[in-house]
Structures are given as structure tokens and as C-alpha cells.
Amino acid sequence: MKGQIKNTLKGLMVDFLFWLYLFGCLYYLLHNNWGWTVRNKFILITAMFFTGLFFLIGDSLGRKSFLPTASTNRKWSHSVWGWLLVIVLIVTFLVGWNIVEVNPYKFFTKFRNAGGITSGIFDPSIVGYQLSNQSLEELKLDGVDQEILEKLSGIIGKRYNTRKVCRDDLKRILDEEEFRIYGEILLSKTEKNMTMLNQALTALAETIFLALLATIFAIPFAFILSFFAARNLMPHTFLGNSVYIIIRTIATIFRSIEAIVWAIIFSVWVGIGPFAGMLALMIHSIAALTKLYSEQIENIDHGPVEAIKATGASTIQTWIFAVIPQIISPYLAFTIYRWDINVRMATIVGFVGGGGIGLLLMQQQQLLRWHNVGLIIWLIAAVVWTMDMISAKVRTKLTSM
Amino acid sequence: MSYLLEIRELHKIYEGGTHALKGIDLNVRKGEFLILLGLSGSGKSTLLRCINRLIETSSGEIIFDGKNVLQMKGRNLRYIRRQIGMIFQQFNLIKNLSTLTNVLTGKLGYVNTIHSLGFRRCRSDVAAAEKNLERVGLLEFRMKKTRNLSGGQQQRVAIARALMQNPRLILADEPVASLDPATADSVMRYLGELNKKDNITVVCSLHFLSLARKYGSRVVALKDGEIVFDGLPSEINEQKFKDIYGEEAEEVEIR
């Protein structure tokens, strides 16, 4: 009898929430698209009314879930609850469409806006050009006007992605007559400028080392914590259970906070730069590795543990001789995998002040230097691809050991 | 003759409510080769694991060499455990360590925890380990990883590991159940030799009656957590066999 009342209440609750959601969604659609306005009270009352109505009819979602009747046990397409479910799914989809502002027209017509970055990706600026100092000297010896020389000295050493951009700039600085005389000579003597590539490679190295250090610093913490977060090693006593639950919970919380959030915190704490990025990735790695490691411990063969225990070994000795030898290769595999992930994450973390290639990418993007952005994107892709391949190879080697 | 092991009114009820041992009374004399018979699930493994406290008992008493095992804690429990070697059906070696290291782990009960943190090996321990490996005929494999050894070889490594403890009692939990008949016999022969030459008491659970008759000096049979037979191996006739294994059972000759 008590169960009956409980189930009735649960069923009514489900129905009420269902109708409230349905009318809420409908109201949102009407309000957003046609400017309808109704009092909230009205929606509430309508929902209540429909809840009562359909519950009395004996065929609704609440009844289906908690108080099945003859009519709810029919196939979904032959009963009210089935069609109510279909309606709510359609309405949900429509509301979603509205909230996300889905606009296929924009998608197909505004492609040109992405022209800059697309051309940057297809034409990354690996090598740049600059006017050489030497050509200016030569002009000076030829006795060219001081005025022109001064104009040119402003752009000596300035890096252009292509010769064409360089020519455009020359045309801008010099008048038509001057450009006709000196332009082609100057352009023919441009020299290569690799500063962007150098800068990008330096930043890339920063990212890789940042990720490596974050992983290395995370290992000892995660290693020790994982033993206390493994169900099969923690005794089923109050102390054992609490240690297990506390460590697991903290790890889960820290893991669910994205590295990017940690990076924001640490870039305020220690200042923008790779150190902040490393700390952010380290925190996240500790949490993630603790989970991965401890699951590995939970998967070990329990036989050797039993055998070592039976020799009279202490708990620590059992861990050292029966647990660690079994987990060492999967641990290494996971650690390399983590480094791999960290390199990828470091790029994102750089955007919010974590240093490395991410920071450079953001700067170049904000300066709208799409060809440099293209270069950086290619470099990141190359590194991620290489790391991915190497780590996969090493991992298969390790897991087969 | 005095008893090495005395078990009184031993009960074990698992968390799920399974009553695995229902009041076991058993005395084991020094130098005996005791065979435990019984169907799978009759409580043989539970009984063996209760003796060295790999499983905590529910009630009862276990006296090993005059000391109450169930009241031991920490260091004292380790002193008891190191005198009791154990051999398992699945060998339970650490597969990716060398044979020699595996044998050396048998000495852990004698080594200080702090000392073993450094992974340093005492020279006399290594010598003893090599002697024990030689005894089971595996000295040439001492640097090989145990995963590369055959089942029979692995079980012999496990015997060498148990020997490192200088045990007074060896508990063997179906040591030959995952081996072929010929290898099974050779492993049992090593156990028999330890029993005769070194005067180590052996309690061994088995499935094969022929091996029990060949090596056992006494047979105890369990059924549903109770002792249903206790006597000499030769006393098991067809009726006794059916009492232990059920009416349907037929004795299978393994040779």
C-alpha cells in the first residue's frame, strides 16, 4: 500500500515535470518567434491541469514509468505516452535549433569570411622575405636621393610573407616614378627571412618541454596516490574506505575541471608564461594519472599478491614485489600517452596564458597574420601526429612486455 | 607424537552468506603428508587459506606450533606466515621477473621492510636461492623471466620459493590441477621428497585419488564444509569415494 502511494507520487511528479517542460518549451518558441507573452502562473496551472487529466485517463509517461496499466503496456505507437514522447522530442529539437541559432544559409554563403585563414593554411609562411641592407647600400653609392633612402630605411628588415606583399608595400611608400626606377632592382635583391619559423619552432619546443615537465612532475604524485585509490589494496575498514573515497573524489573533481581553467588560475598566480601552463597541465595530469594508474592496480592478477603475502612479507613489501612489477609497463604506457595528450592540451592552454605555441598562435591570429597562423597550425599538426605515432608504437611494445 | 597444527571448530562464512566451513576439527602431526580431497567448492581452498590467514576466519581456533594463529597481528603474524610455505594452482609467480628474483621473494618474511626498499640482495640469500633452484632442477633458468617457463617448471619455481622460507609446513592448493599427468607426478614427487628428506609437513589438496594414494600418508575429505572422511589413503574404497564425490561419480584413472 505504501509502495502504491510512493509510486503514485513519483508518477505524478514525472508527469508534472513533463508537462511543465513541454509548455515551457512551447512558450519559449512562441515568445521568441512571435512575441507572445503569458504569465508564468498560467503555464504552471496548465501543466497541473494536464498532469491531472492524463493521469486520470491512465496513460501517461508517469504511469508508464511507475504505475503501469493495461493501456500503457501497449506498443508505443498505439498508446498516448509513446506519442507524448515523440512530441516532446520534436519540441526539444526545435527549441535546441532556436537556442543554438542554427543558420544553414550563413554556413553556405559566408564561406568567404574564412578566406584569410584558409589561404593561410594552404600557403603557410615558412620562409619570409625582406629587403636586403646591401641593396640599400648599393643605391646609396649610386647617389640616390636622400629622401628616397629615408623612405626605404623604414622597411629594411621588415618581414613579408611573399614577394608580392613586399612589392605592394614598396608601391605604397614610393611614388610611381620612383618605383619604376628602383622597385624591380630592390625586389630582385630580397633575402630570406626565417624569423617566424624560428619563433614558431622555439615556441613549439617550449610546448613539448612544458608538457614533458608537467608529466614528469605528475608521475610521483599520481604513483603514490594510485595505491591509495585502488579498491583492492585498501582494506575494507573505515580508514581504508575513507582514504579511498576521499582520494577518488578529489581526483574526479580535479579531473573534471578543465586544464584551461587551471591555466587561467595559474596565469594569474605565477604570471603568463610556460610555467603557468605547466602547473595547469600538472594538476590535471595528476588527477588523470591517479585514476588510470589505480584502475591498472585494480586489474592486476591477485595471485602473486596472495603468494607474496603468504611468505610473511609486510604490506609495503607486498606492494613492491607483487604489485609494482605487474603495473610498471602499463604505467609507462599510460605516462607516455599522457605526455602525448599534454602536448595537445598545451596548445589550448597557451591561449589563456600558458605560454608555448598556443600563445604565439593567439598573437598571430589577433594580428590577422593568417599565413603565420597557417605555419603554426601545420607545425602543431606535425608534432601531434609524430607524438601520436611514437607513443602508439612504444605503448604496444610496453603492453606486450 | 605432538601436533604441528590444530584446528578446532573452524567456521567461515563469506560476506555473501556462503557457509564455506562448518566446524572443522583437524589435527596435523609433524611430518605428515596430508591430502585434502573433495569437490570444487567443498571448502578445501578456504581451509588452506584460513591456516595462514590469507582469509579471515569467522570463528574457531587454529594453533600452529603451540601459538594461536588467529590472535596474531602485524609482526607476529608475519613470523607465523614465514614458517608456512604455500603453493598455488596458478603458481602465482611474478611473471615478468626473473626466476631467481621470484625465488628470492620467498625470503621476504625474514627481511626488514626498509632493507627491501633498496632491492639489495644478501649474498647468502642468493646462494640459498640458487641451491633451492638446483634442487628443483632449474638452476640454468635462473635469469629467465618466469613467463617463459612451462607450467611444470613454474610450479617447481614456486616450490623453490616456498623452500626459501625454511618452512615447517607447506600448504599446497591443488598444485597439479593445471598440469598434465606426467608433469603433475613429477611436481608431486618433489613435494614428497621435501616431506621425507626435510621432514616438512605437507597439507595438499588434490583431485586425483591415484596421486593421493601414491604420496599421501593420510587423507581428509571435505564435503560442503564438513569433514566426511579421515583416514589412510588405502581405506578409500568405492563406497567412501561415492560418499565424498556423490553417487554419480566414477573414479578416473589418470594413467
Side-chain angles (χ1 to χ4, degrees):
Chain A
M1 194 59 214
K2 208 179 161 194
Q4 186 78 10
I5 294 170
K6 220 173 162 186
N7 279 341
T8 312
L9 284 175
K10 277 186 193 166
L12 278 169
M13 200 64 206
V14 167
D15 269 357
F16 178 64
L17 289 174
F18 169 80
W19 288 108
L20 196 62
Y21 174 72
L22 188 64
F23 285 121
C25 285
L26 287 174
Y27 177 61
Y28 175 85
L29 287 175
L30 293 172
H31 181 78
N32 250 27
N33 296 311
W34 293 285
W36 280 42
T37 354
V38 205
R39 291 233 186 112
N40 287 345
K41 217 191 288 171
F42 182 70
I43 296 173
L44 210 68
I45 290 166
T46 322
M48 278 178 182
F49 174 73
F50 274 85
T51 306
L53 185 68
F54 277 83
F55 206 77
L56 288 178
I57 289 171
D59 189 358
S60 66
L61 278 174
R63 281 227 180 243
K64 172 70 187 166
S65 325
F66 295 105
L67 289 171
T69 61
S71 48
T72 61
N73 286 339
R74 269 177 283 178
K75 211 180 149 199
W76 69 270
S77 54
H78 292 280
S79 58
V80 178
W81 66 265
W83 287 104
L84 286 177
L85 206 61
V86 172
I87 291 170
V88 84
L89 287 176
I90 293 171
V91 170
T92 302
F93 179 74
L94 290 176
V95 168
W97 185 285
N98 260 264
I99 289 178
V100 181
E101 296 170 17
V102 176
N103 193 337
Y105 176 75
K106 259 191 202 167
F107 181 80
F108 288 110
T109 55
K110 299 290 180 82
F111 173 69
R112 278 171 148 272
N113 290 353
I117 186 151
T118 319
S119 74
I121 287 172
F122 284 111
D123 181 21
S125 123
I126 300 165
V127 183
Y129 297 95
Q130 66 182 35
L131 294 176
S132 66
N133 218 352
Q134 200 193 342
S135 55
L136 195 69
E137 292 293 320
E138 281 170 16
L139 287 182
K140 206 183 272 177
L141 289 177
D142 289 351
V144 177
D145 243 10
Q146 189 60 34
E147 199 189 335
I148 297 174
L149 286 178
E150 258 170 34
K151 276 185 192 169
L152 287 173
S153 69
I155 58 166
I156 286 291
K158 187 176 172 189
R159 184 177 175 281
Y160 298 100
N161 285 325
T162 55
R163 283 204 179 83
K164 189 178 166 293
V165 188
C166 184
R167 166 177 302 168
D168 292 347
D169 214 24
L170 272 178
K171 270 185 186 164
R172 190 174 54 78
I173 288 168
L174 306 172
D175 57 41
E176 226 169 282
E177 181 68 15
E178 290 163 350
F179 181 76
R180 201 171 48 77
I181 305 169
Y182 306 114
E184 291 306 321
I185 303 169
L186 280 167
L187 280 170
S188 67
K189 287 182 180 164
T190 51
E191 52 189 27
K192 283 177 185 167
N193 180 324
M194 311 276 265
T195 44
M196 194 60 228
L197 188 65
N198 281 338
Q199 220 179 326
L201 287 176
T202 315
L204 202 59
E206 200 173 283
T207 296
I208 295 172
F209 278 97
L210 178 165
L212 179 65
L213 243 65
T215 317
I216 290 173
F217 280 133
I219 292 170
F221 292 101
F223 185 84
I224 293 168
L225 285 176
S226 64
F227 283 81
F228 296 97
R231 183 73 276 187
N232 54 341
L233 291 190
M234 281 293 100
H236 289 259
T237 57
F238 178 71
L239 184 68
N241 285 334
S242 351
V243 168
Y244 167 81
I245 289 169
I246 289 170
I247 291 183
R248 271 285 165 118
T249 313
I250 293 176
T252 313
I253 292 171
F254 275 48
R255 206 157 38 84
S256 56
I257 300 173
E258 281 291 329
I260 195 162
V261 178
W262 291 112
I264 293 171
I265 294 171
F266 283 114
S267 61
V268 179
W269 190 334
V270 299
I272 288 175
F275 185 49
M278 193 217 79
L279 287 172
L281 291 180
M282 186 183 93
I283 296 284
H284 201 257
S285 298
I286 291 175
L289 283 178
T290 302
K291 179 170 179 281
L292 285 177
Y293 284 178
S294 57
E295 272 166 12
Q296 208 53 50
I297 295 180
E298 283 170 1
N299 282 339
I300 60 167
D301 179 8
H302 191 65
V305 178
E306 214 178 20
I308 298 293
K309 220 191 217 175
T311 64
S314 66
T315 309
I316 304 275
Q317 284 172 333
T318 314
W319 289 7
I320 293 173
F321 287 94
V323 179
I324 291 179
Q326 289 194 60
I327 56 176
I328 212 83
S329 13
Y331 266 36
L332 274 173
F334 277 131
T335 311
I336 289 168
Y337 182 49
R338 191 68 218 171
W339 180 26
D340 183 9
I341 293 175
N342 277 347
V343 170
R344 259 176 280 170
M345 275 182 147
T347 315
I348 310 298
V349 160
F351 262 78
V352 293
I357 193 95
L359 192 62
L360 189 68
L361 178 61
M362 187 190 64
Q363 288 165 353
Q364 296 299 316
Q365 179 242 322
Q366 284 176 351
L367 293 169
L368 305 181
R369 295 202 177 138
W370 298 118
H371 296 273
N372 295 346
V373 169
L375 172 74
I376 293 168
I377 289 173
W378 279 112
L379 286 178
I380 293 172
V383 167
V384 168
W385 182 71
T386 319
M387 293 275 311
D388 201 55
M389 239 181 34
I390 295 174
S391 90
K393 280 259 161 61
V394 175
R395 270 183 286 143
T396 35
K397 267 263 150 50
L398 281 171
T399 38
S400 66
M401 239 162 76
Chain B
M1 210 188 274
S2 62
Y3 294 123
L4 179 67
L5 183 68
E6 294 167 63
I7 299 173
R8 290 190 204 119
E9 264 306 301
L10 189 68
H11 282 270
K12 170 66 192 175
I13 303 166
Y14 281 105
E15 261 173 55
T18 319
H19 204 154
L21 297 177
K22 299 168 184 164
I24 300 288
D25 278 296
L26 183 66
N27 295 325
V28 182
R29 284 189 199 86
K30 268 180 193 152
E32 256 183 333
F33 197 118
L34 192 146
I35 305 282
L36 282 178
L37 288 181
L39 287 167
S40 304
S42 59
K44 305 187 300 286
S45 293
T46 307
L47 175 61
L48 288 171
R49 281 170 171 72
C50 280
I51 293 171
N52 62 357
R53 293 262 305 269
L54 287 180
I55 292 178
E56 292 302 329
T57 49
S58 302
S59 67
E61 247 183 7
I62 298 174
I63 315 271
F64 175 77
D65 199 25
K67 294 182 200 83
N68 193 335
V69 178
L70 299 184
Q71 279 163 11
M72 294 293 171
K73 267 186 188 153
R75 183 170 297 177
N76 291 329
L77 178 61
R78 292 180 60 193
Y79 288 160
I80 297 278
R81 275 182 180 160
R82 73 184 192 191
Q83 294 178 60
I84 306 176
M86 190 152 188
I87 291 162
F88 302 84
Q89 180 185 349
Q90 296 303 333
F91 325 129
N92 290 356
L93 300 171
I94 299 131
K95 291 202 175 63
N96 46 359
L97 293 184
S98 71
T99 305
L100 185 69
T101 316
N102 264 294
V103 176
L104 277 167
T105 56
K107 211 64 183 178
L108 282 175
Y110 295 84
V111 183
N112 195 319
T113 301
I114 306 291
H115 189 82
S116 59
L117 277 177
F119 284 91
R120 256 178 305 161
R121 294 156 173 189
C122 189
R123 213 172 275 168
S124 59
D125 285 349
V126 175
E130 285 181 341
K131 208 187 100 213
N132 285 326
L133 269 178
E134 196 173 4
R135 200 165 162 188
V136 294
L138 291 173
L139 187 58
E140 59 195 301
F141 294 108
R142 67 181 182 284
M143 284 310 160
K144 250 196 170 169
K145 281 189 180 175
T146 40
R147 71 162 67 249
N148 300 326
L149 269 53
S150 71
Q153 288 169 335
Q154 289 194 34
Q155 195 60 294
R156 276 143 67 194
V157 174
I159 291 174
R161 174 173 69 186
L163 277 177
M164 282 301 281
Q165 294 174 233
N166 292 324
R168 309 186 51 196
L169 172 67
I170 283 184
L171 307 173
D173 183 18
E174 290 178 23
V176 297
S178 45
L179 301 175
D180 64 79
T183 320
D185 189 68
S186 88
V187 165
M188 286 306 288
R189 203 159 45 230
Y190 279 111
L191 284 179
E193 190 192 296
L194 299 182
N195 177 249
K196 297 258 151 40
K197 279 194 190 158
D198 303 40
N199 204 27
I200 299 172
T201 312
V202 179
V203 178
C204 173
S205 66
L206 275 185
H207 276 314
F208 298 123
L209 213 50
S210 53
L211 288 175
R213 288 199 186 101
K214 190 169 171 189
Y215 295 101
S217 63
R218 178 182 164 197
V219 169
V220 168
L222 291 180
K223 192 180 183 186
D224 295 330
E226 284 171 292
I227 293 179
V228 291
F229 175 85
D230 186 348
L232 294 172
S234 54
E235 284 171 10
I236 300 182
N237 52 28
E238 196 158 325
Q239 188 50 49
K240 288 267 160 51
F241 181 78
K242 288 210 158 121
D243 286 346
I244 300 168
Y245 286 102
E247 284 301 325
E248 313 284 286
E250 291 276 332
E251 195 185 335
V252 194
E253 197 63 38
I254 61 161
R255 259 184 299 183

